[in-house]
């Protein structure tokens, strides 16, 4: 008997994760699709990756569409994000975070990937009870898109089945449904999710998304697994989790999850090399938990942008509490800098301090084939 397959649009948030969990019960193989549209915070993409791995999806692709979606929404612009004290304080009408055309674009690309995989079932975590003026979160929109995509790709308006299992549920009902779908994995999966528009791990407790999520868990009588990451500020749930954090801790966390600060290249028409060294790298061995030390070297030929120095320093510092291998560090840094700074060519070197008498130097290249100067490893 042929295996059944579905494609889930996975943002890394509560709703899309719940939908992915439900889909794993209804289909044999689930493929996840996440979109990097230059949203203000990277933590969404990291959450989506973590959820996909935890749920053991058959595949997971992050599609980079660039800054194609233009809007005054604070999610893709410098517009300040509104804060609220309670659900009652939320304004009516269209929420300022609405990005016109976002779900139209996402569903179009999802249908393209589904066609390539031979899949007719797509799953989307939209919800009408969270409406907030999001016209693309209504069932009437989903129905119209399903017909248009089917007609455009197969000449059949019923070719695709777009599943929206949360469309009419309250947030509290969604929490209960997630508990049923995940069982004893509920906490370990939900703690990986991210909803906060401010990009704060554990949620800021003040933005529109946090207010609704907090209220849903409170009404369901369930402790949200992400609350343990929340600072001493009290969220709308009324739950306070005490955690002392210095300004340095906050800056490092922001560097880990927010987009790196970049500046315009003052000489974009000339090829030249920028050399950066961070000699105080530290992380934890993934096997023993003992600290690792080293120097991270970044050499790159800039394109249209250059990396702000403090942003580089704080980003490298963000590895200090991670259990991560040398190889993963070097390639992760290379991938992130290539994606966000977009240099013509990039070289990342991890020059690690000896451990057990063994010296490790790892080099990763990205971009065009350009010549870099020789590197002389340190003797430590």
């Amino acid at each position: 008997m042929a295996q059944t397959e579905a494609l889930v649009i996975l943002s890394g948030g509560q709703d899309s994760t719940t939908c992915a969990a439900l889909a794993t019960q209804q289909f044999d193989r689930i493929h996840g699709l996440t979109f990097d549209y230059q949203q203000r915070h990277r933590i969404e993409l990291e959450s989506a990756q973590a959820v996909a791995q935890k749920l053991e999806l058959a595949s997971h692709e992050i599609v980079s569409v660039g800054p194609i979606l233009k809007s005054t929404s604070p999610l893709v612009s410098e517009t300040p994000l509104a804060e609220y004290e309670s659900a009652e304080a939320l304004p009516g009408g269209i929420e300022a975070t609405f990005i016109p055309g976002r779900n139209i674009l996402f569903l179009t690309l999802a249908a393209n990937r589904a066609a390539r995989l031979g899949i007719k079932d797509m799953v989307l975590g939209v919800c009408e009870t969270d409406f907030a003026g999001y016209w693309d979160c209504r069932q009437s929109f989903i129905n119209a898109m399903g017909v248009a995509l089917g007609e455009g790709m197969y000449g059949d308006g019923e070719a695709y089945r777009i599943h929206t299992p949360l469309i009419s549920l309250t947030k509290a009902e969604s929490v209960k449904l997630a508990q049923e779908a995940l069982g004893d994995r509920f906490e370990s999966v939900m703690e990986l999710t991210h909803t906060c528009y401010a990009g704060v791990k554990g949620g800021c407790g003040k933005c529109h998304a946090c207010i609704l999520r907090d209220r849903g868990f409170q009404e369901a009588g369930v402790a949200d697994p992400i609350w343990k990451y929340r600072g001493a500020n009290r969220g709308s749930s009324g739950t306070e989790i005490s955690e002392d954090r210095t300004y340095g801790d906050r800056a490092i966390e922001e560097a880990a999850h927010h987009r790196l600060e970049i500046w315009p290249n003052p000489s974009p028409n000339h090829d030249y090399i920028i050399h950066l060294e961070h000699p105080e790298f530290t992380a934890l061995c993934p096997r023993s938990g003992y600290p690792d030390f080293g120097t991270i070297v970044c050499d790159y030929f800039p394109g249209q942008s250059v990396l702000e120095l403090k942003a580089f320093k704080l980003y490298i510092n963000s590895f200090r509490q991670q259990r991560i291998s040398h190889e993963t560090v070097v390639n992760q840094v290379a991938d992130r800098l290539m994606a966000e700074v977009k240099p013509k060519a990039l070289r990342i070197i991890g020059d690690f301090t000896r451990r057990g008498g063994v010296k490790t130097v790892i080099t990763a290249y990205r971009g065009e084939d350009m010549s870099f100067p020789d590197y002389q490893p340190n003797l430590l």
Side-chain angles (χ1 to χ4, degrees):
M1 185 176 183
Q3 288 189 321
T4 57
E5 296 186 277
L7 185 145
V8 178
I9 296 180
L10 183 64
S11 70
Q14 173 191 350
D15 291 341
S16 67
T17 297
T18 300
C19 287
L22 290 168
T24 61
Q25 296 181 329
Q26 300 165 3
F27 299 90
D28 297 316
R29 287 167 56 84
I30 304 300
H31 302 269
L33 192 63
T34 301
F35 298 99
D36 179 357
Y37 54 98
Q38 297 290 292
Q39 56 267 55
R40 186 180 291 185
H41 308 297
R42 283 184 53 84
I43 190 171
E44 294 180 12
L45 306 179
E46 295 166 358
S47 291
Q49 287 179 303
V51 169
Q53 292 173 1
K54 189 70 174 181
L55 294 179
E56 299 181 330
L57 303 190
S59 71
H60 179 230
E61 180 186 5
I62 297 179
V63 178
S64 179
V65 298
I68 193 171
L69 292 167
K70 303 299 183 183
S71 170
T72 58
S73 167
L75 304 185
V76 292
S77 73
E78 297 303 317
T79 302
L81 180 67
E83 295 185 348
Y84 309 98
E85 292 301 321
S86 66
E88 291 69 33
L90 294 175
I94 300 176
E95 173 65 25
T97 51
F98 176 60
I99 303 175
R102 180 171 59 174
N103 281 349
I104 295 174
L105 175 64
F106 289 178
L107 279 168
T108 300
L109 294 175
N112 166 266
R113 294 304 195 270
R116 184 190 67 179
L117 294 168
I119 291 173
K120 299 297 180 66
D121 292 277
M122 296 185 288
V123 186
L124 185 64
V126 294
C127 177
E128 286 188 331
T129 59
D130 288 348
F131 177 52
Y134 280 36
W135 305 112
D136 54 6
C137 288
R138 299 170 300 152
Q139 188 62 53
S140 58
F141 162 77
I142 299 299
N143 294 342
M145 279 297 293
V147 172
L149 292 170
E151 287 287 354
M153 297 195 187
Y154 290 100
D156 177 2
E158 298 182 355
Y160 284 116
R161 294 175 291 273
I162 304 178
H163 304 266
T164 56
L166 310 184
I167 192 71
S168 61
L169 301 186
T170 65
K171 267 289 189 277
E173 291 170 334
S174 293
V175 171
K176 293 292 189 182
L177 186 60
Q179 281 188 312
E180 294 174 10
L182 291 166
D184 59 8
R185 297 187 301 163
F186 175 77
E187 182 170 348
S188 65
V189 172
M190 277 294 158
E191 71 177 8
L192 302 174
T193 64
H194 178 81
T195 299
C196 179
Y197 288 153
V200 176
K201 186 177 178 65
C204 67
K206 299 291 185 180
C207 71
H208 185 277
C210 281
I211 293 284
L212 293 181
R213 176 167 177 156
D214 283 358
R215 183 177 66 177
F217 274 86
Q218 186 181 31
E219 291 178 349
V222 176
D224 190 337
I226 70 168
W227 284 342
K228 63 187 176 185
Y229 300 119
R230 189 169 295 178
N233 58 304
R234 184 182 295 274
S236 60
S237 64
T239 300
E240 181 176 335
I241 300 177
S242 177
E243 180 185 355
D244 294 328
R245 298 167 69 236
T246 67
Y247 75 91
D249 293 327
R250 292 192 294 272
I252 289 170
E253 180 176 309
E254 182 173 322
H257 300 299
H258 295 197
R259 291 196 173 273
L260 298 171
E261 183 177 353
I262 56 176
W263 292 353
N265 180 1
S267 300
N269 297 322
H270 297 90
D271 288 338
Y272 63 99
I273 296 178
I274 295 178
H275 174 84
L276 305 175
E277 284 193 29
H278 191 309
E280 298 177 349
F281 169 83
T282 182
L284 302 176
C285 172
R287 298 190 66 181
S288 69
Y290 292 154
D292 282 331
F293 303 96
T295 297
I296 301 297
V297 178
C298 171
D299 293 309
Y300 69 100
F301 288 85
Q304 296 300 311
S305 304
V306 297
L307 177 62
E308 197 273 332
L309 300 183
K310 185 177 179 181
F312 175 71
K313 179 185 75 172
L314 292 173
Y315 171 49
I316 300 303
N317 286 346
S318 72
F319 288 95
R320 62 184 182 170
Q321 297 298 329
Q322 292 188 42
R323 287 176 173 260
I324 190 167
S325 69
H326 295 162
E327 295 83 359
T328 302
V329 168
V330 172
N331 282 284
Q332 189 168 306
V333 171
D335 288 340
R336 180 167 181 186
L337 267 58
M338 195 67 199
E340 295 192 32
V341 185
K342 296 180 172 58
K344 297 176 183 177
L346 170 72
R347 178 179 70 178
I348 299 296
I349 300 172
D351 188 346
F352 299 99
T353 303
R354 294 177 188 274
R355 186 172 61 189
V358 177
K359 173 72 175 175
T360 306
V361 178
I362 298 171
T363 305
Y365 293 93
R366 300 289 188 274
E368 300 175 18
D369 185 13
M370 302 181 81
S371 179
F372 290 95
D374 292 340
Y375 174 74
Q376 183 63 47
N378 66 54
L379 299 177
L380 298 176

